[in-house]
Amino acid sequence: MEAVVSTQSTGEYAKWIQNPAIWGGGIELAILSKHFNTEIHVVDTQSLRIDKFGQDLKCTDKTFIIYDGIHYDPLYDPASRETVFPVGDEEVERAAMLLASNARKAHNYTDLANFTLKCGTCGTGLAGERDARAHAKQTGHTNFQEYQ
C-alpha cells in the first residue's frame, strides 16, 4: 500500500490510525471496502448524500452506514439484525434514505461548520470546527462542549 496521506509515511499513518482517539473517514472506508470486498454506502443525514465506496470492486454485497457529522453508525434490518445486503437490493437504499431524511428533519446531525462550542478551559465561545482548531492551536486548550 502506498502512503495515503502525503505528509505521513505508510508506517507513520498506520501508527496514527491505531490511536483510539483518532477517527477515520473516507480513506479508511475505501480501505475497509476493499479489505472486506463489500460496498460501503455512507448516508449523510445533513445533506442526504450517499457516498459509495467499492463500486469499482464488483462486490456482491453492500452495507450502509449513517453519518451524523461526527459519528458513523451501521444501519441494520430491525427484523433480522442484518447489516450486509445484496448489491441489487434497492429497497434497503430507500429505507436508508427515509431514515436519514427523518433524522435530518429532527436535526439529528452535527453541522461541523456552524455548530457552537464553548472552551471548557477558558469559556471562550466558538463557532464551528475551524474556530475550535484555531483556538486549540493558539491556546493549547482541547476541552470543548457543544451548546445551542
Side-chain angles (χ1 to χ4, degrees), residues 26-103:
I27 293 170
E28 292 75 24
L29 290 169
I31 292 167
L32 290 170
S33 175
K34 186 172 183 177
H35 177 78
F36 289 108
N37 197 36
T38 300
E39 287 185 13
I40 299 175
H41 296 208
V42 179
V43 184
D44 184 307
T45 56
Q46 182 179 4
S47 68
L48 297 181
R49 181 186 72 237
I50 299 180
D51 294 319
K52 298 179 180 182
F53 298 87
Q55 287 186 298
D56 59 325
L57 302 174
K58 299 186 180 12
C59 304
T60 58
D61 294 321
K62 64 183 172 184
T63 190
F64 285 82
I65 297 173
I66 195 158
Y67 177 64
D68 68 5
I70 295 180
H71 298 286
Y72 293 90
D73 293 303
L75 298 180
Y76 61 92
D77 179 333
S80 66
R81 310 285 289 178
E82 278 295 318
T83 58
V84 179
F85 307 94
V87 165
D89 186 345
E90 296 304 319
E91 182 58 34
V92 71
E93 186 165 322
R94 283 190 290 278
M97 287 304 295
L98 178 61
L99 179 68
S101 180
N102 290 339

Side-chain angles (χ1 to χ4, degrees), residues 114-126:
N114 299 305
F115 70 135
T116 51
L117 293 172
K118 182 171 148 181
C119 177
T121 305
C122 69
T124 300
L126 306 161

